[in-house]
Amino acid sequence: MIPLYKPYLNGAEKLYVNQCLDSSWISSRGEFVSRFESGFERFVGIRHAATACNGTVALHLALAALGLGPGDEVIVPTLTYVASVNAIVHAGAKPVFVDAVQSTWQMDPVDVRRKITANTKAVLAVHLYGAACEMDELQSICRAHNLYLIEDCAEAFGTYYRDKHVDSFGDIATFSFFGNKTITTGEGGMIATNNSQLFSTAHRLKTQGVSPTREYWHEVIGYNYRMTNICAAIGVAQLEQAEQILGMKRQIAAWFNERLSGIPVTLQHEPKDNRQSWWLYSVLAKDAAERDGLRNALRLAGIETRPFFHPAHILPPYASGLHFPVAESLSARGINLPSFPGLSESDVDQICEAIRQYYGSRRSMIAVDFSSRRGA
Ligand SMILES: *Cc1c(COP(=O)(O)O)cnc(C)c1O
């Protein structure tokens, strides 16, 4: 079986985790937490980064630090992982959905403009499947309407928009280090910002709102969203391999792009000035039936795949009867292919051969159907 993903743990992960155990620094204090944070700041080019125990609470922290809450509307793409939307609700604010762009699969700035009301306070841009949103457009909308811009970079570690790593185009950004993300700590997250004031607010909320100068003096109602030193130890080892991991994913995407040419699937477009991280290499089938057939054929060939996320507006807690035709279509047709660092060229050959065979057999079915109708 070729799995969709497995983490690449070929560096100093074991050594560093054992250092935590040997030294007994296994909780959220210890040298690896600050080493991971400062290494991360350097890698993504941000002034301040703080670890969190997962990407979902990192989003909640970012929204809470901006002071978003009841009565506030946050514009978010409907085509995203549900955590982006849930975090808005956790903060007490209201998610307002926008549709996706057909070619890039990212949130549609035209729809963002349409959804702005007197209550809109922020735009939460999600860089989906390793590609970047149209940040120029989103920045100018947010500037014109005095809105905060938040970036959910959970799927975009190593993604560059016009030569700059995503995460500093808005006020604050978040990352996830879940087991299938580009770099992982098992469970883990990060907030990142260039704004010192916002950073210290987020940091205080993360650590039970405790005063930096007086013990057990809690100035605001905070949370315990800290990452453990053990997770951070894995993170430090992952960062040391980050360039290598991203390089492998780029190579995998190039192999796929080359071998899938001539097969009737739609590939993810990479704008000329951007650099994608190719978190999950993904393609679109013609329609839902073709996608489901393709997934089934790949499963029978021992290849694990995933469907795209369901757009949030059709999930039970968010169902509103509204329609977002592009997101609905992408979601019904999209398929994530195995994309883990370490996937070999012969694995990619095997996957693409199975895809070619599926379309080959479909074509002959259509041909038979056509000729029999002509005969009748
Ligand atoms: C993975 C992911 C998250 C949440 O991260 P967790 O670490 O699983 O909580 C948030 N947003 C997006 C877009 C994600 O893909």
Side-chain angles (χ1 to χ4, degrees):
M1 188 82 189
I2 301 179
L4 184 95
Y5 221 91
K6 52 184 176 186
Y8 190 78
L9 303 170
N10 295 319
E13 287 86 357
K14 201 180 275 184
L15 175 74
Y16 294 164
V17 167
N18 278 326
Q19 283 175 16
C20 296
L21 295 169
D22 291 340
S23 67
S24 86
W25 289 97
I26 59 170
S27 197
S28 56
R29 291 194 186 173
E31 59 157 331
F32 287 112
V33 174
S34 48
R35 270 176 66 184
F36 186 33
E37 290 168 342
S38 55
F40 193 86
E41 287 164 0
R42 273 194 303 279
F43 194 93
V44 303
I46 200 88
R47 221 168 287 152
H48 308 286
T51 48
C53 45
N54 61 58
T56 308
V57 302
L59 275 168
H60 181 207
L61 266 185
L63 294 156
L66 289 168
L68 300 171
D72 297 336
E73 294 177 0
V74 178
I75 296 178
V76 64
T78 184
L79 187 62
T80 182
Y81 181 56
V82 71
S84 323
V85 183
N86 287 346
I88 296 170
V89 177
H90 295 158
K94 181 182 165 204
V96 173
F97 297 125
V98 295
D99 209 347
V101 176
Q102 185 72 55
S103 59
T104 63
W105 315 346
Q106 310 302 313
M107 88 190 294
D108 182 0
V110 176
D111 203 20
V112 172
R113 274 184 210 280
R114 268 198 295 263
K115 297 292 161 61
I116 293 171
T117 72
N119 296 324
T120 308
K121 292 285 156 53
V123 172
L124 174 50
V126 183
H127 305 294
L128 205 62
Y129 298 128
C133 295
E134 287 173 40
M135 296 317 291
D136 274 356
E137 241 338 82
L138 293 176
Q139 277 182 322
S140 73
I141 293 170
C142 288
R143 245 181 253 127
H145 296 268
N146 199 24
L147 308 175
Y148 294 122
L149 179 55
I150 305 152
E151 291 172 89
D152 180 348
C153 304
E155 304 181 2
F157 176 84
T159 300
Y160 293 77
Y161 177 81
R162 310 218 164 136
D163 294 331
K164 198 165 103 173
H165 198 291
V166 294
D167 76 355
S168 56
F169 291 91
D171 297 279
I172 189 163
T174 66
F175 290 83
S176 163
F177 308 119
F178 182 67
N180 67 9
K181 297 290 160 74
T182 298
I183 63 166
T184 182
T185 60
E187 292 277 2
M190 191 79 85
I191 56 161
T193 179
N194 282 328
N195 180 326
S196 313
Q197 174 119 37
L198 198 53
F199 180 74
S200 71
T201 306
H203 196 272
R204 185 158 314 172
L205 287 171
K206 165 187 150 176
T207 51
Q208 302 284 24
V210 73
S211 157
T213 51
R214 189 173 170 194
E215 288 161 300
Y216 295 120
W217 188 252
H218 302 273
E219 295 168 330
V220 291
I221 300 174
Y223 310 90
N224 174 5
Y225 284 169
R226 296 181 295 250
M227 174 183 274
T228 67
N229 200 41
I230 297 176
C231 287
I234 299 173
V236 170
Q238 288 277 287
L239 264 188
E240 289 168 354
Q241 302 161 91
E243 288 295 359
Q244 190 195 346
I245 289 171
L246 287 164
M248 283 188 283
K249 291 173 79 77
R250 231 188 140 67
Q251 174 64 74
I252 290 163
W255 287 330
F256 270 125
N257 283 343
E258 189 188 298
R259 283 157 179 78
L260 289 175
S261 85
I263 297 181
V265 288
T266 304
L267 310 183
Q268 190 174 16
H269 167 69
E270 183 176 35
K272 197 162 56 57
D273 301 338
N274 296 1
R275 179 144 49 102
Q276 295 185 191
S277 60
W278 300 104
W279 171 53
L280 288 184
Y281 187 88
S282 308
V283 297
L284 302 176
K286 185 169 78 328
D287 54 33
E290 186 180 290
R291 190 271 304 266
D292 295 344
L294 176 56
R295 287 198 69 209
N296 198 40
L298 291 175
R299 187 178 56 79
L300 293 173
I303 296 155
E304 189 191 4
T305 64
R306 288 280 162 78
F308 274 19
F309 303 123
H310 295 289
H313 73 273
I314 71 161
L315 299 177
Y318 300 112
S320 64
L322 293 176
H323 278 292
F324 297 87
V326 179
E328 285 165 27
S329 158
L330 292 171
S331 165
R333 297 188 292 133
I335 171 166
N336 309 128
L337 296 173
S339 310
F340 59 89
L343 188 75
S344 69
E345 188 167 10
S346 68
D347 290 335
V348 174
D349 278 336
Q350 190 185 326
I351 296 163
C352 295
E353 191 43 43
I355 298 174
R356 186 183 307 280
Q357 273 182 18
Y358 171 72
Y359 280 102
S361 65
R362 274 179 76 85
R363 221 180 332 249
S364 55
M365 260 155 42
I366 294 163
V368 167
D369 194 41
F370 185 62
S371 54
S372 67
R373 221 176 288 162
R374 231 187 347 195

